[in-house]
Each structure stands twice: as C-alpha cells, then as structure tokens.
Coordinates of all heavy atoms in Angstrom, one line a residue:
M1233 N 0.3 7.1 -19.3 CA -0.9 6.5 -19.9 C -1.3 5.1 -19.0 O -0.4 4.5 -18.7 CB -0.7 6.1 -21.3 CG -0.6 7.3 -22.3 SD -0.2 7.0 -23.9 CE -1.3 5.6 -24.3
E1234 N -2.5 5.0 -18.8 CA -3.0 3.8 -18.1 C -4.3 3.4 -18.9 O -5.3 4.0 -18.7 CB -3.1 4.2 -16.7 CG -3.6 3.0 -15.8 CD -3.8 3.5 -14.4 OE1 -2.9 4.0 -13.8 OE2 -4.8 3.2 -13.8
E1235 N -4.2 2.1 -19.6 CA -5.3 1.7 -20.4 C -5.8 2.9 -21.2 O -5.2 3.4 -22.1 CB -6.4 1.1 -19.5 CG -5.8 -0.2 -18.8 CD -6.9 -0.8 -18.0 OE1 -8.1 -0.6 -18.2 OE2 -6.4 -1.7 -17.1
T1236 N -7.1 3.4 -20.9 CA -7.7 4.5 -21.7 C -7.5 5.9 -21.1 O -7.9 6.8 -21.7 CB -9.2 4.3 -21.8 OG1 -9.7 4.1 -20.6 CG2 -9.4 2.9 -22.6
L1237 N -6.8 5.9 -19.9 CA -6.5 7.2 -19.3 C -5.2 7.8 -19.8 O -4.2 7.0 -19.8 CB -6.5 7.0 -17.7 CG -7.8 6.6 -17.1 CD1 -7.6 6.4 -15.6 CD2 -8.9 7.6 -17.3
H1238 N -5.2 9.0 -20.0 CA -4.1 9.7 -20.5 C -3.8 10.9 -19.5 O -4.6 11.8 -19.4 CB -4.2 10.4 -21.8 CG -4.4 9.3 -22.9 ND1 -3.4 8.8 -23.6 CD2 -5.5 8.6 -23.3 CE1 -3.8 7.8 -24.4 NE2 -5.1 7.7 -24.3
Y1239 N -2.7 10.8 -18.6 CA -2.4 11.8 -17.7 C -1.6 13.0 -18.3 O -0.7 12.6 -19.2 CB -1.7 11.2 -16.6 CG -2.4 10.1 -15.8 CD1 -2.2 8.7 -16.1 CD2 -3.3 10.5 -14.9 CE1 -2.8 7.7 -15.4 CE2 -4.1 9.5 -14.3 CZ -3.8 8.1 -14.4 OH -4.6 7.1 -13.9
C1240 N -1.8 14.2 -17.9 CA -1.1 15.2 -18.6 C 0.2 15.5 -18.0 O 1.1 16.1 -18.6 CB -1.9 16.5 -18.5 SG -2.3 17.1 -16.8
G1241 N 0.6 15.1 -16.8 CA 2.0 15.2 -16.2 C 2.1 16.6 -15.6 O 1.2 17.4 -15.4
N1242 N 3.4 17.0 -15.6 CA 3.8 18.4 -15.2 C 3.3 18.5 -13.7 O 3.1 19.7 -13.4 CB 3.4 19.3 -16.1 CG 4.0 19.4 -17.5 OD1 5.3 19.3 -17.3 ND2 3.4 19.4 -18.5
S1243 N 3.4 17.6 -12.8 CA 2.9 17.8 -11.5 C 4.0 18.7 -10.8 O 5.2 18.8 -11.1 CB 2.8 16.5 -10.7 OG 1.9 15.6 -11.2
I1244 N 3.5 19.4 -9.9 CA 4.4 20.3 -8.9 C 4.1 20.2 -7.6 O 3.0 19.8 -7.0 CB 4.2 21.9 -9.4 CG1 2.8 22.4 -9.1 CG2 4.5 22.0 -10.9 CD1 2.7 23.9 -9.1
V1245 N 5.1 20.6 -6.7 CA 5.0 20.9 -5.4 C 5.2 22.4 -5.2 O 6.2 22.9 -5.5 CB 5.9 20.0 -4.5 CG1 5.8 20.4 -3.0 CG2 5.6 18.5 -4.8
A1246 N 4.2 23.1 -4.5 CA 4.3 24.4 -4.3 C 4.3 24.8 -2.8 O 3.7 24.1 -2.1 CB 3.3 25.2 -5.0
G1247 N 5.1 25.7 -2.4 CA 5.1 26.3 -1.0 C 3.8 27.1 -0.8 O 3.1 27.4 -1.7
P1248 N 3.7 27.4 0.5 CA 2.5 28.2 0.8 C 2.4 29.6 0.2 O 1.3 30.2 0.0 CB 2.6 28.4 2.4 CG 3.9 28.2 2.7 CD 4.4 27.2 1.7
D1249 N 3.5 30.1 -0.3 CA 3.5 31.4 -1.0 C 3.4 31.2 -2.5 O 3.5 32.2 -3.3 CB 5.0 32.2 -0.8 CG 6.2 31.3 -1.0 OD1 6.1 30.1 -1.5 OD2 7.2 31.8 -1.0
G1250 N 3.3 30.0 -3.0 CA 3.2 29.8 -4.4 C 4.5 29.4 -5.1 O 4.4 29.0 -6.3
E1251 N 5.6 29.5 -4.4 CA 6.8 29.2 -5.1 C 6.9 27.7 -5.4 O 6.6 26.8 -4.6 CB 8.1 29.6 -4.0 CG 9.4 29.2 -4.7 CD 10.5 29.2 -3.7 OE1 10.3 29.7 -2.6 OE2 11.7 29.0 -4.0
V1252 N 7.3 27.5 -6.6 CA 7.3 26.0 -7.0 C 8.7 25.4 -6.4 O 9.8 25.9 -6.7 CB 7.5 25.9 -8.7 CG1 7.7 24.5 -8.9 CG2 6.1 26.5 -9.1
L1253 N 8.5 24.4 -5.7 CA 9.7 23.7 -4.9 C 10.0 22.4 -5.6 O 11.3 22.0 -5.4 CB 9.1 23.3 -3.6 CG 8.7 24.4 -2.6 CD1 8.1 23.9 -1.3 CD2 9.7 25.5 -2.4
G1254 N 9.2 21.9 -6.5 CA 9.6 20.8 -7.3 C 8.6 20.7 -8.5 O 7.4 20.9 -8.4
R1255 N 9.2 20.1 -9.6 CA 8.3 20.0 -10.7 C 8.8 18.6 -11.6 O 9.9 18.3 -11.6 CB 8.5 21.0 -11.7 CG 7.7 21.1 -13.0 CD 8.0 22.2 -14.0 NE 7.9 23.5 -13.3 CZ 6.8 24.3 -13.4 NH1 5.8 23.8 -14.0 NH2 7.0 25.4 -12.8
L1256 N 7.7 17.9 -11.9 CA 8.0 16.7 -12.7 C 7.6 17.1 -14.2 O 6.8 17.9 -14.5 CB 7.1 15.5 -12.3 CG 7.6 14.9 -11.0 CD1 6.6 13.8 -10.5 CD2 9.0 14.3 -11.1
G1257 N 8.2 16.4 -15.0 CA 7.9 16.6 -16.6 C 6.8 15.7 -17.0 O 5.8 15.4 -16.2
L1258 N 6.8 15.3 -18.3 CA 5.7 14.5 -18.8 C 5.8 13.1 -18.5 O 4.8 12.4 -18.5 CB 5.6 14.7 -20.3 CG 5.4 16.2 -20.8 CD1 5.4 16.2 -22.3 CD2 4.0 16.5 -20.3
A1259 N 7.0 12.6 -18.3 CA 7.3 11.1 -17.9 C 6.8 10.8 -16.6 O 6.8 11.7 -15.6 CB 8.7 10.8 -18.2
A1260 N 6.4 9.5 -16.4 CA 6.0 9.0 -15.1 C 7.2 9.2 -14.1 O 8.4 9.0 -14.4 CB 5.6 7.6 -15.2
G1261 N 7.0 9.4 -12.7 CA 8.0 9.6 -11.9 C 7.6 10.0 -10.6 O 6.4 10.1 -10.3
S1262 N 8.5 10.2 -9.7 CA 8.2 10.6 -8.2 C 9.3 11.6 -7.8 O 10.4 11.6 -8.5 CB 8.0 9.5 -7.3 OG 9.2 8.7 -7.3
M1263 N 9.1 12.3 -6.8 CA 10.1 13.3 -6.3 C 10.0 13.4 -4.8 O 9.0 13.2 -4.3 CB 9.9 14.6 -7.0 CG 8.7 15.4 -6.7 SD 8.8 17.0 -7.5 CE 7.0 17.3 -7.9
I1264 N 11.0 13.7 -4.1 CA 11.2 14.1 -2.7 C 11.5 15.4 -2.7 O 12.6 15.9 -3.2 CB 12.1 13.1 -2.1 CG1 11.7 11.8 -2.1 CG2 12.3 13.6 -0.6 CD1 12.7 10.7 -1.7
V1265 N 10.8 16.3 -2.0 CA 11.0 17.7 -1.7 C 11.1 18.0 -0.4 O 10.3 17.6 0.4 CB 9.8 18.6 -2.5 CG1 10.1 20.0 -2.3 CG2 9.7 18.2 -4.0
D1266 N 12.1 18.7 0.0 CA 12.3 19.2 1.4 C 11.3 20.4 1.6 O 11.3 21.4 0.8 CB 13.7 19.7 1.7 CG 14.7 18.6 1.8 OD1 14.2 17.4 2.3 OD2 15.8 18.6 1.4
I1267 N 10.5 20.4 2.6 CA 9.6 21.5 3.0 C 9.9 22.1 4.3 O 9.9 21.4 5.3 CB 8.2 20.9 3.0 CG1 7.8 20.5 1.5 CG2 7.2 22.1 3.3 CD1 6.4 19.8 1.3
D1268 N 10.1 23.4 4.4 CA 10.3 24.1 5.7 C 9.0 24.3 6.3 O 8.3 25.3 5.9 CB 11.1 25.3 5.5 CG 11.4 26.1 6.7 OD1 11.0 25.7 7.8 OD2 12.1 27.1 6.6
L1269 N 8.6 23.6 7.3 CA 7.2 23.7 7.9 C 7.1 25.1 8.7 O 6.0 25.5 8.7 CB 7.0 22.6 9.0 CG 6.9 21.2 8.3 CD1 6.9 20.1 9.4 CD2 6.0 21.1 7.3
A1270 N 8.2 25.7 9.0 CA 8.1 27.0 9.6 C 7.5 28.1 8.7 O 6.9 29.0 8.9 CB 9.5 27.5 10.1
C1271 N 7.7 27.9 7.4 CA 7.1 28.7 6.3 C 5.7 28.8 6.4 O 5.0 29.7 6.0 CB 7.6 28.3 4.9 SG 9.5 28.7 4.7
I1272 N 5.0 27.7 6.8 CA 3.6 27.7 6.8 C 3.0 28.6 7.9 O 2.2 29.4 7.5 CB 3.1 26.2 7.1 CG1 3.4 25.3 6.0 CG2 1.6 26.2 7.3 CD1 3.3 23.9 6.4
D1273 N 3.6 28.7 9.1 CA 3.1 29.7 10.1 C 3.4 31.1 9.7 O 2.5 31.9 9.9 CB 3.7 29.3 11.4 CG 3.2 28.0 12.1 OD1 2.0 27.7 11.7 OD2 3.9 27.4 12.8
E1274 N 4.6 31.2 9.0 CA 4.9 32.5 8.6 C 3.9 33.0 7.5 O 3.5 34.2 7.6 CB 6.3 32.6 8.1 CG 6.8 33.9 7.6 CD 8.2 34.0 7.1 OE1 9.0 33.1 7.4 OE2 8.6 34.8 6.4
S1275 N 3.8 32.2 6.6 CA 2.7 32.6 5.5 C 1.4 32.8 6.0 O 0.6 33.8 5.6 CB 2.7 31.4 4.5 OG 1.8 31.7 3.5
R1276 N 1.0 32.2 7.0 CA -0.4 32.4 7.5 C -0.5 33.7 8.2 O -1.7 34.3 8.3 CB -0.9 31.2 8.5 CG -1.2 29.8 7.8 CD -1.5 28.9 8.9 NE -1.7 27.6 8.1 CZ -1.7 26.4 8.7 NH1 -1.5 26.3 9.9 NH2 -2.0 25.3 8.1
T1277 N 0.4 34.3 8.7 CA 0.4 35.5 9.3 C 0.3 36.7 8.3 O -0.2 37.6 8.6 CB 1.7 35.9 10.3 OG1 2.9 35.9 9.4 CG2 1.9 34.8 11.3
H1278 N 0.8 36.4 7.1 CA 0.7 37.4 5.9 C -0.5 37.2 5.1 O -1.0 38.1 4.5 CB 2.0 37.3 5.2 CG 3.2 37.7 6.1 ND1 3.3 38.9 6.6 CD2 4.3 36.9 6.5 CE1 4.6 39.0 7.3 NE2 5.0 37.7 7.2
Q1279 N -0.8 35.9 5.0 CA -2.0 35.5 4.0 C -3.0 34.5 4.7 O -2.9 33.3 4.5 CB -1.4 34.8 2.9 CG -0.3 35.6 2.1 CD 0.4 34.8 1.0 OE1 -0.2 33.9 0.4 NE2 1.7 35.0 0.8
N1280 N -3.9 35.1 5.5 CA -4.7 34.3 6.3 C -6.0 34.0 5.5 O -7.0 34.7 5.6 CB -5.1 35.0 7.6 CG -6.0 34.1 8.5 OD1 -6.1 33.0 8.2 ND2 -6.4 34.7 9.5
Y1281 N -5.9 33.0 4.6 CA -7.0 32.6 3.7 C -8.2 32.0 4.5 O -9.3 32.1 4.1 CB -6.6 31.8 2.6 CG -5.6 32.4 1.8 CD1 -4.2 31.9 1.7 CD2 -5.9 33.4 0.9 CE1 -3.3 32.4 0.8 CE2 -4.9 34.0 0.1 CZ -3.6 33.4 0.0 OH -2.8 34.0 -0.8
L1282 N -7.9 31.4 5.6 CA -8.9 30.7 6.4 C -9.9 31.7 7.0 O -11.1 31.2 7.2 CB -8.2 29.8 7.5 CG -7.3 28.6 7.0 CD1 -6.7 27.9 8.2 CD2 -8.3 27.7 6.2
K1283 N -9.6 32.8 7.2 CA -10.5 33.9 7.7 C -11.7 34.1 6.8 O -12.8 34.5 7.1 CB -9.9 35.1 8.0 CG -9.4 35.9 6.9 CD -8.9 37.3 7.3 CE -8.3 38.1 6.1 NZ -8.7 38.0 4.7
D1284 N -11.5 33.8 5.4 CA -12.6 33.9 4.4 C -13.4 32.7 4.2 O -14.3 32.7 3.4 CB -11.9 34.3 3.1 CG -11.2 35.7 3.1 OD1 -11.7 36.5 4.0 OD2 -10.2 35.8 2.4
L1285 N -13.1 31.6 5.0 CA -13.7 30.4 4.8 C -15.2 30.5 5.2 O -15.5 31.1 6.2 CB -13.1 29.3 5.7 CG -13.7 27.9 5.8 CD1 -13.5 27.3 4.3 CD2 -13.1 27.1 6.8
R1286 N -16.1 30.1 4.3 CA -17.5 30.2 4.6 C -18.1 28.7 4.5 O -17.8 28.0 3.6 CB -18.2 31.0 3.5 CG -17.7 32.5 3.5 CD -18.2 33.1 4.8 NE -17.9 34.6 4.7 CZ -16.8 35.1 5.3 NH1 -16.0 34.4 6.1 NH2 -16.5 36.3 5.4
V1287 N -18.9 28.3 5.5 CA -19.5 27.0 5.5 C -20.7 27.1 4.5 O -21.6 27.9 4.7 CB -19.8 26.6 6.9 CG1 -20.5 25.2 6.8 CG2 -18.5 26.4 7.7
L1288 N -20.9 26.2 3.6 CA -22.1 26.1 2.8 C -23.1 25.2 3.4 O -22.8 24.1 4.0 CB -21.6 25.6 1.4 CG -20.6 26.4 0.6 CD1 -20.2 25.7 -0.7 CD2 -21.2 27.9 0.4
K1289 N -24.3 25.5 3.3 CA -25.3 24.7 3.9 C -25.4 23.4 3.3 O -25.0 23.2 2.1 CB -26.7 25.5 3.6 CG -27.8 24.9 4.4 CD -29.1 25.6 4.2 CE -30.2 25.1 5.1 NZ -31.0 26.1 5.8
D1290 N -25.6 22.3 4.0 CA -25.7 21.0 3.6 C -24.3 20.4 3.2 O -24.3 19.5 2.3 CB -26.7 20.8 2.5 CG -28.0 21.1 2.9 OD1 -28.5 20.9 4.1 OD2 -28.8 21.7 2.0
T1291 N -23.2 21.0 3.8 CA -21.9 20.3 3.6 C -21.3 20.0 4.8 O -21.7 20.6 5.9 CB -20.9 21.3 2.8 OG1 -20.7 22.6 3.6 CG2 -21.4 21.7 1.4
H1292 N -20.3 19.2 4.8 CA -19.6 18.6 6.0 C -18.3 19.2 5.9 O -17.5 19.1 5.0 CB -19.5 17.1 6.0 CG -18.8 16.6 7.1 ND1 -19.4 16.5 8.4 CD2 -17.5 16.0 7.1 CE1 -18.5 16.0 9.2 NE2 -17.4 15.7 8.6
V1293 N -17.9 19.9 7.0 CA -16.6 20.5 7.2 C -15.7 19.7 8.1 O -16.2 19.3 9.2 CB -16.8 22.0 7.7 CG1 -15.4 22.5 7.9 CG2 -17.6 22.7 6.7
V1294 N -14.5 19.4 7.7 CA -13.6 18.4 8.5 C -12.6 19.4 9.4 O -12.4 20.5 9.0 CB -12.8 17.7 7.5 CG1 -11.9 16.8 8.2 CG2 -13.6 16.8 6.6
N1295 N -12.2 18.9 10.5 CA -11.2 19.6 11.3 C -11.8 20.7 12.0 O -11.0 21.7 12.3 CB -10.0 19.8 10.6 CG -9.2 18.5 10.1 OD1 -9.3 17.5 10.8 ND2 -8.6 18.7 9.0
G1296 N -13.1 20.9 12.4 CA -13.7 22.0 13.0 C -13.5 23.3 12.4 O -13.6 24.3 13.1
A1297 N -13.4 23.4 11.1 CA -13.1 24.6 10.5 C -14.5 25.2 10.0 O -14.8 25.7 9.0 CB -12.2 24.5 9.2
D1298 N -15.5 25.1 10.9 CA -16.9 25.5 10.6 C -17.4 26.9 11.3 O -18.5 27.1 11.4 CB -17.9 24.3 11.0 CG -17.8 24.1 12.5 OD1 -17.0 24.6 13.2 OD2 -18.7 23.4 13.0
S1299 N -16.3 27.6 11.4 CA -16.7 29.0 12.0 C -16.3 30.1 11.1 O -15.5 29.9 10.2 CB -16.2 29.1 13.4 OG -14.8 29.0 13.4

C-alpha cells in the first residue's frame, strides 16, 4: 500500500516460453532471477511472434520494428 494506492502483488518473472522463473507473494519485496539468454533465441525459432507485428497508423514504433 502507498497512500491511497493498493498494489495487488504476486509479481512474476516469466521466461520466453511462459515458464514462471520467479514469483513474489503479497508482501513488498524484490527478487533476483537468473535468466538463460540463449533461451530467447531458441524460443524465437519456435515461436516467432514478431512476424505477426502490424504497425498501426499514427503510432510510433521503436527499434525499427516497423516492417
């Protein structure tokens, strides 16, 4: 809780395949999670979501992902 804001908690860190790598409960906290960066490239070969990216008119796309 922070003044009038009430946070719901239960934050997670998920890998590119959706596997939960770390989870916090309801109490305030922080966590450090080891992430295997090689899993990102492997996941992209099987689940290429960026190929479905569509640029909407009147929006700004970052990192050249406008094709």
Side-chain angles (χ1 to χ4, degrees):
M1233 292 175 46
E1234 182 179 303
E1235 295 183 17
T1236 60
L1237 296 175
H1238 298 266
Y1239 299 99
C1240 60
N1242 291 312
S1243 296
I1244 66 166
V1245 174
D1249 59 354
E1251 176 187 1
V1252 176
L1253 303 174
R1255 179 186 308 263
L1256 291 175
L1258 296 175
S1262 60
M1263 68 178 141
I1264 297 173
V1265 178
D1266 289 327
I1267 299 173
D1268 182 358
L1269 298 179
C1271 289
I1272 296 170
D1273 290 332
E1274 180 181 340
S1275 177
R1276 285 182 181 157
T1277 63
H1278 300 291
Q1279 303 173 35
N1280 187 8
Y1281 300 112
L1282 293 179
K1283 71 177 174 24
D1284 297 326
L1285 179 67
R1286 300 288 185 262
V1287 177
L1288 301 175
K1289 191 174 187 138
D1290 300 327
T1291 60
H1292 177 72
V1293 178
V1294 181
N1295 295 330
D1298 58 351
S1299 56

